[in-house]
Amino acid sequence: MTNKIVSWYKVNKRNLPWRLSRDPYKIWVSEIILQQTQIKNGINYYNKFLKLFPDVKKLANSSEENVLKAWQGLGYYNRAINMLHTAKKIAFDLDGNFPDKYSELLKLKGIGDYTASAISSICYNEKKAVVDGNVYRVISRYFDVEESIDTAKGKNKIKKIATSILPKDKVGDYNQALMDFGALQCTKYNPKCLECPLANKCVAKEKNTVHVRPVKSKIKVSKIRYFNYFHIKNNCYFIVQKRKSNDVWKKLYEFPLIESKKSLKFEELVKNSFFKNFKVLDFKKKFVLVHKLSHQQLKIFFWELYVEKIPSDFKKITFNQFKKYPFPKPFEIYLEYLDKIN
Ligand code: SF4
């Protein structure tokens, strides 16, 4: 299997910008971004991130707000905060030197088995298997693994198999080859089995179980939440706040928010004690959208309000200032909507 994957890779390798380098900083950035998004979108984020923070020292010396702004739209903002933390550790405690061993990389905040395996194998040829969603799929099919890949048992089994088939040399190239093979050949839907170099030994193909591999047992239950955002305006200013609680979008900026258990009318929302701070002159429901996260669905209502005065204990800014702050994806959509209608 291993040799065939390597031969396939020589012909079909994807040209990705981080593959031009074995610099652990670049590989680290690319791997963390790719845990958040698809390749196409990931390339844009990667290029933008490296332009802003070309090396670990530059990242370490950046503000949290700038890093979050560069990360805006990718989600899981803790990943960006952890990257900044780790960049500081490397730049200031390790004299700018990235650890060159899997076991040392694992000690860094935000670097788990997957990222440590990727960096150590790609940059230092350490014999570590990188197991992403593509690799889970290829191995589950080729070896017809019946264990569910969302259980520890299933994960361990795939990792063991992946480790056992690693080549002696060029481990990083091979890891990338297997990921590309899953992304391009052994795809989730309509895998190209008829023209597959592994077909004659692929157990799932032989047993006709390709369409049910990999096995997943857990059904994701999506919790529904209702977010009512208030775009509270006075002249050209409006109110923003920084999210502090341990919830989604921590440390990003937003409008004042009231979360409710169901969709509410403005007459019901305005009874909230928060509105004691304002004399509302006018209001309208501006925009509604549904934002899906991995375990929750946010139904978001943007309300536009005109108030007589914004009390001084609220942070008030202008539109152009707001665009410089890191804010969640739905705000990007809301701002685009405002740009369109104004
Ligand atoms: S034969 Fe089909 S299922 Fe098996 S490895 Fe190839 S593409 Fe994947």
Side-chain angles (χ1 to χ4, degrees):
M1 175 187 187
T2 308
N3 290 340
K4 283 185 177 167
I5 294 277
V6 172
S7 306
W8 175 92
Y9 186 59
K10 281 180 188 156
V11 181
N12 297 286
K13 176 182 179 176
R14 291 182 290 186
N15 285 323
L16 303 171
W18 47 89
R19 290 203 173 146
L20 301 170
S21 165
R22 299 207 181 247
D23 174 349
Y25 173 71
K26 292 181 180 168
I27 300 300
W28 174 50
V29 170
S30 71
E31 290 301 335
I32 303 286
I33 288 176
L34 290 180
Q35 285 169 49
Q36 290 304 120
T37 187
Q38 303 291 325
I39 291 273
K40 201 173 154 208
N41 198 29
I43 292 174
N44 294 336
Y45 272 98
Y46 172 82
N47 288 334
K48 188 174 97 180
F49 201 90
L50 280 193
K51 206 169 170 193
L52 291 167
F53 318 111
D55 53 50
V56 76
K57 283 193 177 150
K58 189 89 185 167
L59 178 59
N61 285 307
S62 306
S63 70
E64 191 172 86
E65 223 149 273
N66 282 345
V67 178
L68 284 170
K69 186 70 193 166
W71 201 258
Q72 185 176 301
L74 277 175
Y76 280 106
Y77 294 88
N78 259 343
R79 288 204 205 275
I81 294 168
N82 286 341
M83 280 182 87
L84 180 57
H85 185 278
T86 286
K88 285 182 196 293
K89 172 93 188 155
I90 294 170
F92 307 136
D93 297 352
L94 305 178
D95 213 14
N97 297 314
F98 239 90
D100 59 4
K101 287 196 177 58
Y102 169 87
S103 54
E104 292 302 310
L105 287 160
L106 266 189
K107 292 177 188 165
L108 299 170
K109 205 167 180 180
I111 296 192
D113 168 66
Y114 173 84
T115 312
S117 300
I119 299 172
S120 64
S121 66
I122 295 169
C123 307
Y124 309 113
N125 199 31
E126 193 169 343
K127 239 181 143 189
K128 292 287 171 191
V130 181
V131 183
D132 72 346
N134 291 311
V135 175
Y136 274 121
R137 190 167 53 253
V138 177
I139 290 184
S140 290
R141 287 174 175 168
Y142 188 77
F143 294 94
D144 196 38
V145 176
E146 289 174 11
E147 279 87 354
S148 164
I149 60 160
D150 47 19
T151 61
K153 197 178 165 203
K155 282 191 175 104
N156 288 339
K157 181 157 185 179
I158 302 272
K159 178 84 182 175
K160 245 188 189 168
I161 296 174
T163 305
S164 73
I165 57 175
L166 285 173
K168 284 197 183 88
D169 201 18
K170 296 194 174 168
V171 183
D173 284 351
Y174 167 76
N175 275 329
Q176 295 183 90
L178 194 53
M179 288 191 271
D180 274 16
F181 188 83
L184 303 174
Q185 180 80 26
C186 191
T187 47
K188 189 171 178 183
Y189 305 107
N190 305 319
K192 301 179 183 102
C193 300
L194 290 178
E195 53 206 62
C196 176
L198 305 185
N200 65 345
K201 287 204 174 153
C202 174
V203 184
K205 181 167 182 291
E206 193 195 320
K207 290 189 177 172
N208 203 17
T209 54
V210 173
H211 60 293
V212 288
R213 299 286 178 266
V215 176
K216 282 188 187 168
S217 57
K218 288 181 195 157
I219 299 163
K220 275 189 191 169
V221 183
S222 196
K223 181 180 160 194
I224 298 176
R225 299 170 72 183
Y226 297 83
F227 279 19
N228 301 278
Y229 275 123
F230 301 100
H231 184 183
I232 300 176
K233 295 169 150 181
N234 179 262
N235 293 320
C236 57
Y237 289 99
F238 58 89
I239 302 175
V240 291
Q241 60 190 21
K242 192 172 183 175
R243 284 179 73 80
K244 292 194 181 99
S245 62
N246 244 346
D247 193 0
V248 292
W249 306 330
K250 189 179 172 187
K251 299 192 175 180
L252 268 62
Y253 284 80
E254 61 179 3
F255 298 154
L257 165 71
I258 293 177
E259 186 171 353
S260 53
K261 292 206 164 70
K262 56 179 185 167
S263 157
L264 293 177
K265 291 182 183 149
F266 188 71
E267 291 74 16
E268 295 168 291
L269 290 163
V270 83
K271 288 179 191 157
N272 189 291
S273 60
F274 169 75
F275 283 103
K276 285 190 183 137
N277 297 295
F278 308 99
K279 185 171 179 199
V280 178
L281 303 175
D282 194 12
F283 76 89
K284 47 186 154 167
K285 192 195 278 178
K286 257 315 217 215
F287 196 66
V288 182
L289 64 88
V290 175
H291 186 67
K292 288 184 184 168
L293 298 167
S294 55
H295 291 97
Q296 43 188 313
Q297 235 188 67
L298 308 179
K299 294 199 172 169
I300 302 177
F301 304 86
F302 285 98
W303 298 88
E304 188 179 64
L305 270 79
Y306 294 89
V307 295
E308 196 174 68
K309 192 178 157 212
I310 294 177
S312 59
D313 38 353
F314 289 96
K315 183 178 175 69
K316 61 175 187 175
I317 57 172
T318 63
F319 225 81
N320 283 340
Q321 287 171 324
F322 187 51
K323 287 184 175 173
K324 291 180 189 146
Y325 286 83
F327 46 78
K329 182 80 181 170
F331 282 78
E332 231 175 283
I333 299 168
Y334 178 65
L335 293 192
E336 274 168 24
Y337 163 78
L338 291 185
D339 271 349
K340 240 184 245 167
I341 59 162
N342 288 329

